[in-house]
Amino acid sequence: MPYYLDFEKPIEDIENKIRGLKDSSGEEARGKELRQLEKKAKDTIERIYLNLTPWQKSQIARHPERPYTLDYINLILKDFVEFHGDRRFGDDPSIVGGIGLLDDKSVMVIGHQKGRGTKERIYRNFGQPHPEGYRKALRLMKLAERFKIPVITFIDTPGAYPGIGAEERGQAEAIATNLMEMSLLKTPIVSIVIGEGGSGGALALSVADRLCMLEHSTYSVISPEGCAAILWKKSGGLSVDDFSMAANSLKLTAQDLKSFGIIDDIIPEPLGGAHRDPELTAERIKEYIKTTLEHLMKKDVTGLVEDRYRKLRGIGAFKEIS
Amino acid sequence: MEWFKKKKETNSEKKVKIPEGLWVKCDNCKEIIYKKEIENNLKVCPKCEYHFRIVARERINQLVDEGSFREIDSNLVTTDPLKFEDTKPYKIRIQENIKAHQINDAFIYGTASIYKRQVVIGVMDFSFMGGSMGSVVGEKIARAAELSLKERLPLVTVSASGGARMQEGMFSLMQMAKVSASVARLKEAGILYISILADPTFGGVTASFAMLGDVIIAEPKSLIGFAGPRVIEQTIKQQLPPDFQRAEFLLEHGMIDMIVERKLLKETIYKIIQYLMPLQSPY
């Protein structure tokens, strides 16, 4: 049984009927009914998915069946060799990275990794990295730089882990260093937000020449829940309406961020979201990476790094007053 | 009973005449201290050495030669890109803060001299929306770094911030990358960057320019970290160790170079600049 979000209830009802029909022996008349139901399901998905609210998108971005970094790596790359460890303290399973072949060209791929099922989710720490993860990522980026290989990053994290060990080992320093070093990296960086872009923990892998987002992914300075908790300090606890309002205010959708010029591109998802067709989503991501890299690999490195700086430097909403 | 009545009046009048805020209670040792005494002591408690939070202009006065500070870009203000509104519109909140603190956002910068040595200095103001970093703060830090680079002057920043400013959403988050990229260029050019961390420094500020100093100095007992203590406590569901995220804790874990008392700060910065980036190379 697939997992349905609460606002997908109408889709669930129709698809349950379809499954019921399919289970019973297939006759001509049923075939007609099936086709009608399938059309209805498609229309319903379309109706819901073309009018998603920011809060609904936040839920899709965290959908438990949404493809994760390793899913895309498996679907996009011909081969992949994973590398481990930051050479200082440990290996962080919340960030994976390694070298692989995109068609016949080497690429360094690094991304946040969430787990599926309780055991793996805990193992991946729900995609919330420790400093070791960011340091491993930087080590691999530097490796790519040395061998003139482009870097692809997949962004999908609720945020950097808030814990004692993370603070002791310099979570802030690890993130800051990545921001600084990525701004200087002498090889192209393409970042794709595939799910949740959670604040500084996401940014630490997404200082890039091209930053793009999947259609229903989100990227935000704070989660809607965190924002609501700070803004509406309520005694009785927060409701879905509060989260919904916070999600609206934060302008965290790919569409909003594209209109602000904060991201470069949006990769459209299959109807009903990436989780309904991971293969097609992966195909589109692959095409995007290929065309983008073709362009970026032609640039001379000095110009590339300078353009990256100019791009970052230009972000801001301010004016001079007299 | 006339005399009795009169006396009562004088009594109450006397009470009123005592100027407000003449005495302050130390946040740390709870002693009641004469306000002037604290002010004459760089806002450090004379009893327990507790360092009170100070606003940006006070900080600059304490760190640079008198009258040497030339503020730059004081007229930058946010344009409220998200049209953000919570209990009140962000626009109004900003106007109220500007009025209350006589400063256009949470960061001021300019050129100044420290014992006659020219520097670019930028200071965060925690009283302005918790010293949060939005577009204006980010832009000013980037400009300060660029000025340092152009004039080949050491850069000194003093941080005191809750982190990235929520009300500007992703614009705020991207300032972290922007300012980190700006200070990165100083390193390549061999220009010294000293980062001073004051109480409190958190989130997107710690996770960007504040932790990128060539030399990082913290004031005693300052709270410094990435995630706030309350968030951590809620996540791990245990109590935090007593000195957790204090400057002393960071020093012990190798995250900062030193802890320096406020009264020695100016002298220390000067020494580091003169030794690391002397005007004429001794070699």
Side-chain angles (χ1 to χ4, degrees), chain B residues 155-183:
Chain B
L155 175 67
V156 178
T157 63
V158 184
S159 301
S161 168
R165 185 174 296 167
M166 193 166 59
Q167 289 84 349
E168 289 183 36
M170 278 300 287
F171 282 91
S172 298
L173 193 76
M174 295 309 282
Q175 300 309 307
M176 290 170 64
K178 176 165 126 183
V179 298
S180 301
S182 300
V183 300

Side-chain angles (χ1 to χ4, degrees), chain A residues 317-319, chain B residues 76-81 90-91 94 98 104-105 128 134-136 165 167-168:
Chain A
F318 57 86
K319 63 180 180 202
Chain B
L76 293 191
V77 293
T78 177
T79 54
D80 182 18
Y90 175 48
K91 239 188 186 133
I94 283 284
I98 290 175
N104 283 329
D105 211 305
F128 193 104
S135 298
V136 172
R165 185 174 296 167
Q167 289 84 349
E168 289 183 36

Side-chain angles (χ1 to χ4, degrees), chain A residues 212-226:
Chain A
C212 97
M213 290 173 73
L214 286 185
E215 187 184 350
H216 304 311
S217 65
T218 58
Y219 201 169
S220 182
V221 68
I222 188 169
S223 70
E225 292 92 330

